[in-house]
Amino acid sequence: DEQMHVLSHAIEQLNAAQLPLPRLWYFPNGGKGALIMTGDTEGCGWNCTNTVIQHVQSYGGTYSAYMMYTSEATLAQYNAAQAAGHELAAHYDNTANANNPTVANMTAVYDARTQAQITTYGSGPRTVRNHWIVWTGWSEQAEIEAAHGIGLDANYYHWGAWLGGPGYFTGSGLPMRFSDENGAILDIFQ
């Protein structure tokens, strides 16, 4: 990604007099960008979550809410949100092992919480953000997520002005797949 970032800037600089340059990505309806609107419920309950959903929906958007507990929404509330294009997904919590997360303890958390969501709502989450962004290994976390049917990891965000403002760290402008330590591409995006 850094090489792509350098290459794209080099192409822009070398062709500055010949602008506009084509981009490698395009958004529907002439949009200048895309926003993946997500939030952690932190156990705030349905009224709190639904307030955010309604606000985002009033602007024509959809929202992914990462719920700490399946008790935060009834099956009817879950189904209504899903039918309107929103996502209510698990907010996996392995903070008990935050100082020493392992594949074993993270897998146990994912097994239990995924099963709770399937039992309560009939389907597992498709995207994820972990509580406290607890991560294990190089690619092991992404592998655990993919094994649990997750297709997009939303743990990938930045915090603080020192990172230069909003956007992807990679400079790619689009979600990209994870790779393992050997460079094999994994079936999950970041």
Side-chain angles (χ1 to χ4, degrees), residues 116-179:
Q117 180 156 334
I118 292 169
T119 299
T120 304
Y121 304 121
S123 64
R126 293 293 300 136
T127 70
V128 65
R129 181 160 50 243
N130 296 336
H131 192 50
W132 288 10
I133 316 299
V134 176
W135 188 270
T136 185
W138 171 262
S139 63
E140 288 86 348
Q141 182 68 43
E143 292 170 29
I144 292 167
E145 293 168 1
H148 286 83
I150 294 168
L152 176 70
D153 178 292
N155 287 309
Y156 192 69
Y157 71 94
H158 66 258
W159 185 269
W162 66 275
L163 289 166
Y168 279 98
F169 297 138
T170 62
S172 66
L174 294 173
M176 299 179 69
R177 291 187 189 272
F178 282 97
S179 67

Side-chain angles (χ1 to χ4, degrees), residues 87-139:
E87 178 188 29
L88 301 179
H91 190 41
Y92 294 93
D93 185 2
N94 192 23
T95 55
N97 299 296
N99 291 329
N100 186 30
T102 65
V103 169
N105 60 43
M106 188 62 85
T107 299
V109 166
Y110 269 70
D111 288 346
R113 186 60 178 84
T114 300
Q115 188 56 52
Q117 180 156 334
I118 292 169
T119 299
T120 304
Y121 304 121
S123 64
R126 293 293 300 136
T127 70
V128 65
R129 181 160 50 243
N130 296 336
H131 192 50
W132 288 10
I133 316 299
V134 176
W135 188 270
T136 185
W138 171 262
S139 63

Side-chain angles (χ1 to χ4, degrees), residues 61-98:
T62 58
Y63 183 65
S64 292
Y66 298 106
M67 300 184 303
M68 294 288 288
Y69 316 103
T70 55
S71 61
E72 291 183 62
T74 66
L75 178 58
Q77 292 163 336
Y78 176 89
N79 287 338
Q82 296 284 107
H86 306 288
E87 178 188 29
L88 301 179
H91 190 41
Y92 294 93
D93 185 2
N94 192 23
T95 55
N97 299 296

Side-chain angles (χ1 to χ4, degrees), residues 27-52:
F27 298 105
N29 303 319
K32 294 182 180 182
L35 171 69
I36 299 175
M37 187 66 187
T38 66
D40 306 340
T41 67
E42 304 298 338
C44 74
W46 179 249
N47 289 338
C48 172
T49 301
N50 192 46
T51 298
V52 177

